[in-house]
Amino acid sequence: MFGVRIQPPASTRGRPRPAPGAAVRAASRSARSASRGGAMLSRLAVAYADAYARRPLPLAVATGLTVKTGADAFAQLAVEGRPRLDARRTLAMAAFSATVGGGCNYVFVREASRLLAALGGGARGAAAAAAADVCVFCPLLYLPTYTLAMGAAAGASLDQVAAQLRAGYGDSWAASAAIMGPAQLANFLFVPYALRLPVMLSAAFAYNATVSVINMRVSSRTFALAGEARDAVPAR
């Protein structure tokens, strides 16, 4: 206007200016990537639900076997710090995962979903279904059979398994209430029927890791006490 030429600041002089809208385009690319990932998950969920509608029990057994055996393998290597998998324990966990983790969990989800429907759905029904897991299924079936499977893998006697169950029962049940209670509440409140089993097993992944730590601590103490008692018996 007055013949004065305005120079850019020295710090930016000679540097290429960013193209207009570069940040917008980057955000758009991120959104598209997230959208593709979401679409893939959505397709997987639909495919799983379709397969579950056609053959629910075989798929439940396969899902339980995969997720819960994987959870125990993770617990052995990452949580307990073992250099390699204990083959005997992994086989015992595979049998437990197929029967209780797959078959029994399938029956539980089916019956808890019926309870949910009978109560009219909503928060009240979901809370009842979650309570059925924490107060009935876990303490009366899951924990005893899990402890028996792990005891069999360790070569423990029935007396040692019973002592181990008594010693770790309170902590394991408290972990179930803290982890599985909220997870099951959300599961039965928001998740469609055909996807409730894999969601339940995903939450049980964290629960199994916790119970594994409790089981490891209690096992070492129980077996040590059993050894001391055996050594205290006078030889004939």
Side-chain angles (χ1 to χ4, degrees):
M1 181 175 173
F2 297 101
V4 178
R5 186 177 179 184
I6 300 176
Q7 296 290 337
S11 58
T12 61
R13 195 177 299 160
R15 296 183 183 179
R17 295 183 179 182
V24 174
R25 287 198 296 273
S28 178
R29 284 195 298 270
S30 299
R32 284 197 299 270
S33 298
S35 178
R36 284 194 295 269
M40 183 179 297
L41 287 176
S42 179
R43 285 195 295 270
L44 287 174
V46 169
Y48 186 95
D50 288 344
Y52 196 86
R54 285 183 277 108
R55 303 190 67 188
L57 184 55
L59 185 57
V61 170
T63 305
L65 178 63
T66 302
V67 175
K68 296 194 77 63
T69 305
D72 187 70
F74 172 81
Q76 288 189 54
L77 300 176
V79 178
E80 300 175 16
R82 294 173 182 260
R84 63 184 64 85
L85 290 176
D86 181 332
R88 185 171 176 176
R89 170 173 161 176
T90 302
L91 287 174
M93 192 64 195
F96 169 82
S97 300
T99 53
V100 177
C104 293
N105 276 345
Y106 160 73
V107 174
F108 170 79
V109 168
R110 185 188 66 194
E111 297 306 313
S113 296
R114 288 176 177 171
L115 174 63
L116 173 70
L119 293 174
R124 178 167 168 259
D133 184 2
V134 173
C135 299
V136 180
F137 182 74
C138 178
L140 298 184
L141 177 65
Y142 187 91
L143 283 178
T145 53
Y146 175 85
T147 307
L148 182 62
M150 293 300 97
S157 66
L158 287 178
D159 288 341
Q160 288 174 324
V161 170
Q164 182 177 337
L165 179 61
R166 286 193 299 270
Y169 196 83
D171 288 344
S172 297
W173 184 84
S176 172
I179 297 172
M180 297 305 298
Q184 289 288 60
L185 179 63
N187 191 16
F188 285 94
L189 190 58
F190 300 115
V191 178
Y193 172 72
L195 298 178
R196 284 174 186 158
L197 177 66
V199 170
M200 177 182 180
L201 290 171
S202 299
F205 195 105
Y207 176 63
N208 269 35
T210 304
V211 172
S212 178
V213 173
I214 296 170
N215 190 59
M216 180 175 60
R217 185 185 70 240
V218 169
S219 295
S220 59
R221 186 168 67 241
T222 302
F223 294 161
L225 290 175
E228 291 174 4
R230 189 169 54 250
D231 293 341
V233 176
R236 293 185 179 180

